[in-house]
Amino acid sequence: QVQLVESGGGLVQPGGSLRLSCAASGIPFRLATMGWYRQTPGRERELVARITSSSSTNYADSVKGRFTISRDNTKNTLYLQMNSLKPEDTAVYYCNRPSDIYDWGKGTLVTVSS
């Protein structure tokens, strides 16, 4: 059974930071390219960061220089460090495998507001 459990979201002020976690089970995590997505009402789910099994990364232009994706293969956990947060970063954040999407988790809500 595949499970993707996101956590770490919350309410932060503009310019603040959050670290999101994604605990994965039931998948060959070590071999999988993984990504972080976000979605707001009325908009398509957007891939914002991606990391390969060899820890090569890439990012959407909207988050480059502010977000850092990483992974801990010993814990089957994916992370997203988010710095210099902006109101437009407000979204529900999800993790998944871009090449072959698993069932989505519940996501974790990030709200950036003063």
Side-chain angles (χ1 to χ4, degrees), residues 6-66:
E6 300 92 348
S7 62
L11 174 64
V12 296
Q13 294 187 347
S17 297
L18 284 173
R19 191 190 192 207
L20 307 183
S21 298
C22 168
S25 61
I27 69 172
F29 182 84
R30 180 181 295 181
L31 301 177
T33 293
M34 298 294 293
W36 282 99
Y37 298 75
R38 66 186 182 189
Q39 187 172 39
T40 57
R43 304 194 67 176
E44 295 183 358
R45 207 186 308 257
E46 173 192 20
L47 178 66
V48 299
R50 175 180 175 272
I51 185 167
T52 70
S53 60
S54 59
S55 294
S56 177
T57 61
N58 53 22
Y59 301 89
D61 287 343
S62 58
V63 307
K64 283 181 180 177
R66 301 188 297 119

Side-chain angles (χ1 to χ4, degrees), residues 16-20 66-67 80-85 93 110:
S17 297
L18 284 173
R19 191 190 192 207
L20 307 183
R66 301 188 297 119
F67 291 10
L80 186 68
Q81 178 67 47
M82 305 187 297
N83 299 324
S84 302
L85 283 162
Y93 284 74
V110 172

Side-chain angles (χ1 to χ4, degrees), residues 54-105:
S54 59
S55 294
S56 177
T57 61
N58 53 22
Y59 301 89
D61 287 343
S62 58
V63 307
K64 283 181 180 177
R66 301 188 297 119
F67 291 10
T68 302
I69 188 171
S70 61
R71 65 195 299 158
D72 185 341
N73 289 335
T74 68
K75 299 179 179 179
N76 284 3
T77 300
L78 186 71
Y79 302 99
L80 186 68
Q81 178 67 47
M82 305 187 297
N83 299 324
S84 302
L85 283 162
K86 304 174 180 179
E88 52 262 44
D89 296 319
T90 296
V92 178
Y93 284 74
Y94 303 86
C95 60
N96 218 309
R97 180 176 63 174
S99 62
D100 190 7
I101 298 292
Y102 295 109
D103 288 345
W104 297 98

